[in-house]
Amino acid sequence: MTVPLISAKDLSVQLDGRPILQHISVEIAAGEIVTIVGPNGSGKSTFLRALIGAVPLSKGRVTRAPGLKIGYVPQKLALDASLPMTVQRFLGLPRRVSTAAALQALGNAGVPDLCNRQMTDLSGGQFQRVLLARALLDRPQLLMLDEATQGLDQPGAAAFYQRIEQVRQELGCAIVMVSHDLHVVMAASDRVLCLNGHICCQGSPQMVADAPEYRALFGTGTKGTMALYRHQHSHSHDHGPDHQDHHHEHERAQ
């Protein structure tokens, strides 16, 4: 039996005496991409923070594999616009990293040429790629992203998700991401978790898209859009016809 990278058993969280998450049990296996969707206020970000130990549990437990390395990409990060800082210097906070390590992480994030750019000069998409690179510096076994495409347009979000799939192929890490991009999330996911204070439904992208609980939260109008982005590429991650079709689906949808 394969030991999961991280698992939650009967996880519950209260903030200011108000229940945010209740009775959540889930396991994340090595190499899989799990996407968490749900309406605003459903506890998605809190769930990620509970998994990494950033918020206390009111009930239940989280178990991590020994020595588990986790990379985390926050929803957003505010930097002082008056503070000059290159991308490499940013990647070296709080501990300095070598130029080679910075270049490798930026390459994994798909932006190998940004090393000497000023952080304040980056576009929104470039800034998110740098945050991704920072999370990849230690080559994590588990990468967590909290609505990392917030503020990006649809092509930018789709490109970011394609890069996440490439990161999974290159590093072999599992990925857990919170997303509001219902129209592109299907392409990148092995499993979808629909959250609204508790797990409403979970399973393959198509299974969740067809679930009454999901339709009740997001309406029936999302299914046709999401079907276009159905998870189509092969799990061998070769570059055969399935892989090409997957990218053509993206291009037609733009």
Side-chain angles (χ1 to χ4, degrees), residues 161-229:
Y161 286 125
Q162 288 178 12
R163 170 52 56 176
I164 291 300
E165 167 62 18
Q166 290 167 332
V167 165
R168 192 256 296 261
Q169 293 178 44
E170 292 164 5
L171 301 186
C173 58
I175 294 167
V176 176
M177 54 185 177
V178 167
S179 178
H180 64 284
D181 296 306
L182 300 178
H183 52 292
V184 295
V185 76
M186 291 305 177
S189 306
D190 296 315
R191 185 156 52 107
V192 176
L193 213 73
C194 187
L195 199 67
N196 193 17
H198 63 282
I199 295 176
C200 302
C201 54
Q202 64 175 310
S204 69
Q206 198 57 42
M207 186 186 302
V208 169
D210 290 335
E213 299 90 341
Y214 176 90
R215 307 288 285 281
L217 286 173
F218 294 108
T220 56
T222 58
K223 187 191 173 193
T225 312
M226 297 173 80
L228 182 60
Y229 288 90

Side-chain angles (χ1 to χ4, degrees), residues 3-253:
V3 177
L5 292 180
I6 194 166
S7 63
K9 180 74 172 175
D10 199 30
L11 180 153
S12 297
V13 173
Q14 290 189 359
L15 296 177
D16 298 324
R18 185 167 59 93
I20 305 296
L21 298 169
Q22 294 181 296
H23 310 302
I24 293 177
S25 295
V26 68
E27 294 183 347
I28 308 299
E32 70 171 333
I33 296 183
V34 178
T35 300
I36 301 164
V37 299
N40 290 336
S42 60
K44 302 185 298 293
S45 296
T46 300
F47 178 55
L48 279 200
R49 295 176 67 215
L51 287 180
I52 64 174
V55 295
L57 308 184
S58 58
K59 189 178 180 184
R61 69 178 186 272
V62 172
T63 304
R64 302 174 191 89
L68 179 66
K69 289 193 291 185
I70 298 176
Y72 185 81
V73 181
Q75 204 172 88
K76 54 189 172 185
L77 185 68
L79 288 181
D80 186 344
S82 66
L83 186 67
M85 183 184 298
T86 65
V87 167
Q88 182 173 350
R89 177 74 194 281
F90 172 76
L91 292 178
L93 298 175
R95 54 186 176 84
R96 191 173 294 247
V97 299
S98 68
T99 300
L103 287 172
Q104 181 174 18
L106 289 167
N108 287 334
V111 283
D113 301 326
L114 294 184
C115 204
N116 296 315
R117 290 276 299 277
Q118 289 290 323
M119 289 294 294
T120 50
D121 292 341
L122 301 180
S123 69
Q126 289 171 331
F127 192 94
Q128 289 306 112
R129 295 295 184 102
V130 170
L131 291 183
L132 174 60
R134 193 173 187 214
L136 296 177
L137 277 170
D138 290 329
R139 298 185 70 85
Q141 299 154 280
L142 174 61
L143 177 63
M144 293 188 166
L145 303 103
D146 187 1
E147 297 209 39
T149 59
Q150 195 173 52
L152 302 186
D153 60 15
Q154 184 176 325
F160 190 89
Y161 286 125
Q162 288 178 12
R163 170 52 56 176
I164 291 300
E165 167 62 18
Q166 290 167 332
V167 165
R168 192 256 296 261
Q169 293 178 44
E170 292 164 5
L171 301 186
C173 58
I175 294 167
V176 176
M177 54 185 177
V178 167
S179 178
H180 64 284
D181 296 306
L182 300 178
H183 52 292
V184 295
V185 76
M186 291 305 177
S189 306
D190 296 315
R191 185 156 52 107
V192 176
L193 213 73
C194 187
L195 199 67
N196 193 17
H198 63 282
I199 295 176
C200 302
C201 54
Q202 64 175 310
S204 69
Q206 198 57 42
M207 186 186 302
V208 169
D210 290 335
E213 299 90 341
Y214 176 90
R215 307 288 285 281
L217 286 173
F218 294 108
T220 56
T222 58
K223 187 191 173 193
T225 312
M226 297 173 80
L228 182 60
Y229 288 90
R230 217 165 36 240
H231 188 76
Q232 291 194 358
H233 57 280
S234 68
H235 284 266
S236 64
H237 300 299
D238 58 26
H239 291 274
D242 284 348
H243 186 93
Q244 295 300 323
D245 287 347
H246 168 63
H247 288 285
H248 290 165
E249 291 279 9
H250 272 290
E251 289 162 9
R252 285 198 297 271

